Amino acid sequence: MRLERLELRRIGLELVVPFRTSFGTELHRDILLVHVTTDVGDGWGECVAMSAPFYSPEFVDGADLVIRRHLWPTLVAAGELRAADVAMVLEPIHGHPMAKAALEMAILDAELRANDSTFHQLLGTERTTVPSGVSVGIFDDLDVLLAQVQGYVDGGYARIKLKIEPGWDLEPVRLVRELIGPDMPLQVDANTAYGRTDIDHLCRLDEYDLLLIEQPLTEEDLLGHAQLAMRSSTPVCLDESIVSLQTAADAIDIGAAEIVNIKPGRVGGYLAARRIHDLCLDRGVPVWCGGMVETGIGRAANAALATLPGFTLPGDISASSRFYARDIVTDPITVTDGEVAVPTAPGLGFDLDLEFLDAITTSTDVIDA
Ligand code: OSB
Ligand code: MG
């Protein structure tokens, strides 16, 4: 296909409840959508960069700029293109995986729609539903946390993930375990909030029978995670550290990643995400699909990705209503019996509610090829 036009859309959405992690609190989302028009039709992608560079170096204004200044012109200069070529064409530009992933998504969505096929069909998988987990933020008050968790248990989620940080770890985990009972899958995510000197402390989580502990140490500290993995009976899972196929392979080899969280935005796209999945499957390392508080665009694609056979743990693919009162898609993801349905619509699997999208659009910029 040939690229003809890029539309950069910024939308504003409020979260139904503030989402606090060890790196900050979010309530108002400023999301960049990319809409690509080609000679065979159009497609949409969602950039998962957040407003500020607290989770990773990317942030939404930076993603917007690198797309218009570098990524889009490079893709246009490549001429005739398929979605599978995007990552390779963009390789000379260092970093910016979330910005790259958004463009690849839009081009993949366009390509699939043009062929009247789905991402699910491209992956060639059989599963029609995937297990749904929920990520629960940090609160000022333990009672508020327990009420939130109870709500998600009542909502049918297949597993609970608690955000933790120093001062909010052993006690919330103990109380939540007591509340949900021994059989409900429970895991924690520290978003790099601890250091190597906390390894003894983190081992005290072992008594709560957690599925995994996600990214307790800094992104660069693969060795520290390997040291924790040797000491702790709770499996160590990496999120922020896994930025490429190479880091995934190395982290597994040195024993730093007993489980891998796969987020397409963090690794530069859905096709790179699939390759990391394939590597982990080959090495016998379980994977699960992470979330970045996506709208229905990213949520649809994530649900399809999670049908791959190595995704043996529930993903952070919760109902749209966990974060948003109203989504930008016509058929928002819901949870039934702990599972979300893999979308069947052509393309990445969503149709936009254009009227609502227009109502929440804060800026639109069009760049012709
Ligand atoms: O570390 O998994 C994370 C949300 C934003 C940034 C980082 C993370 C998260 C989540 C997943 O915990 C939230 C979701 O989309 O369900
Ligand atoms: Mg995480």
Side-chain angles (χ1 to χ4, degrees), residues 74-157:
T74 301
L75 285 174
V76 169
E80 189 70 27
L81 192 76
R82 293 167 313 146
D85 303 326
V86 170
M88 204 183 53
V89 170
L90 296 179
E91 202 188 45
I93 298 164
H94 286 210
H96 304 285
M98 294 174 179
K100 291 174 177 176
L103 279 169
E104 186 198 69
M105 273 178 99
I107 291 168
L108 182 58
D109 187 44
E111 186 172 287
L112 290 167
R113 285 176 194 264
N115 298 331
D116 198 28
S117 66
T118 69
F119 186 37
H120 194 192
Q121 286 166 339
L122 176 73
L123 294 170
T125 48
E126 303 279 310
R127 275 155 78 175
T128 57
T129 65
V130 294
S132 171
V134 61
S135 175
V136 185
I138 295 167
F139 294 91
D140 293 332
D141 196 306
L142 288 165
D143 290 333
V144 178
L145 171 73
L146 295 177
Q148 292 283 326
V149 169
Q150 187 61 55
Y152 296 131
V153 171
D154 296 342
Y157 284 102

Side-chain angles (χ1 to χ4, degrees), residues 186-201:
L186 177 64
Q187 64 192 54
V188 293
D189 184 2
N191 290 110
T192 76
Y194 296 87
R196 287 190 194 182
T197 53
D198 297 314
I199 287 178
D200 281 340
H201 177 74

Side-chain angles (χ1 to χ4, degrees), residues 19 21 23 50 55 135 161 163 189 191 214 239-240 261 263 288 290-294 299 316-318 322-323:
F19 186 54
T21 65
F23 60 79
M50 307 184 91
Y55 164 77
S135 175
K161 158 169 142 181
K163 291 291 191 178
D189 184 2
N191 290 110
E214 181 180 349
D239 172 356
E240 284 88 333
N261 166 324
K263 282 183 188 170
W288 55 284
M292 289 294 291
V293 196
E294 288 92 343
R299 235 162 257 280
D316 279 346
I317 312 174
S318 44
R322 185 268 173 256
F323 290 114

Side-chain angles (χ1 to χ4, degrees), residues 12-345:
L13 275 176
E14 309 302 307
L15 297 182
V16 291
V17 56
F19 186 54
R20 178 171 154 203
T21 65
S22 62
F23 60 79
T25 304
E26 261 213 309
L27 184 52
H28 315 282
R29 298 224 56 215
D30 172 10
I31 303 169
L32 171 64
L33 302 181
V34 300
H35 180 203
V36 169
T37 305
T38 77
D39 57 345
V40 299
D42 67 322
W44 289 82
E46 172 175 0
C47 181
V48 299
M50 307 184 91
S51 301
F54 296 148
Y55 164 77
S56 77
E58 289 183 276
F59 60 104
V60 67
D61 289 325
D64 188 305
L65 185 61
V66 80
I67 287 172
R68 57 178 84 219
R69 195 69 74 72
H70 298 284
L71 304 181
W72 174 254
T74 301
L75 285 174
V76 169
E80 189 70 27
L81 192 76
R82 293 167 313 146
D85 303 326
V86 170
M88 204 183 53
V89 170
L90 296 179
E91 202 188 45
I93 298 164
H94 286 210
H96 304 285
M98 294 174 179
K100 291 174 177 176
L103 279 169
E104 186 198 69
M105 273 178 99
I107 291 168
L108 182 58
D109 187 44
E111 186 172 287
L112 290 167
R113 285 176 194 264
N115 298 331
D116 198 28
S117 66
T118 69
F119 186 37
H120 194 192
Q121 286 166 339
L122 176 73
L123 294 170
T125 48
E126 303 279 310
R127 275 155 78 175
T128 57
T129 65
V130 294
S132 171
V134 61
S135 175
V136 185
I138 295 167
F139 294 91
D140 293 332
D141 196 306
L142 288 165
D143 290 333
V144 178
L145 171 73
L146 295 177
Q148 292 283 326
V149 169
Q150 187 61 55
Y152 296 131
V153 171
D154 296 342
Y157 284 102
R159 71 88 172 117
I160 303 288
K161 158 169 142 181
L162 297 184
K163 291 291 191 178
I164 59 168
E165 66 182 4
W168 184 267
D169 46 31
L170 299 175
E171 192 61 1
V173 170
R174 183 180 74 77
L175 290 169
V176 167
R177 178 49 92 197
E178 203 174 272
L179 176 75
I180 66 181
D183 298 331
M184 175 92 183
L186 177 64
Q187 64 192 54
V188 293
D189 184 2
N191 290 110
T192 76
Y194 296 87
R196 287 190 194 182
T197 53
D198 297 314
I199 287 178
D200 281 340
H201 177 74
L202 292 170
C203 286
R204 294 176 64 194
L205 288 165
D206 285 350
E207 68 176 285
Y208 303 109
D209 193 24
L210 303 178
L211 270 183
L212 58 91
I213 178 169
E214 181 180 349
Q215 197 73 41
L217 312 180
T218 55
E219 184 176 321
E220 296 80 6
D221 195 6
L222 289 186
L223 204 57
H225 283 101
Q227 290 168 357
L228 172 64
M230 275 200 300
R231 300 266 310 282
S232 159
S233 63
T234 304
V236 172
C237 169
L238 296 182
D239 172 356
E240 284 88 333
S241 295
I242 306 295
V243 295
S244 63
L245 187 67
Q246 180 76 59
T247 53
D250 291 355
I252 292 167
D253 279 352
I254 70 161
E258 298 170 288
I259 297 177
V260 170
N261 166 324
I262 295 185
K263 282 183 188 170
R266 197 193 59 229
V267 301
Y270 281 83
L271 304 178
R274 183 193 192 158
R275 285 193 288 276
I276 293 175
H277 158 274
D278 295 347
L279 167 90
C280 292
L281 186 63
D282 189 53
R283 305 279 180 99
V285 171
V287 305
W288 55 284
C289 185
M292 289 294 291
V293 196
E294 288 92 343
T295 69
I297 297 181
R299 235 162 257 280
N302 286 347
L305 182 72
T307 60
L308 289 168
F311 286 84
T312 53
L313 295 167
D316 279 346
I317 312 174
S318 44
S320 165
S321 60
R322 185 268 173 256
F323 290 114
Y324 302 112
R326 183 168 173 188
D327 205 325
I328 59 173
V329 296
T330 55
D331 193 10
I333 293 236
T334 56
V335 174
T336 309
D337 298 329
E339 307 252 325
V340 303
V342 179
T344 52

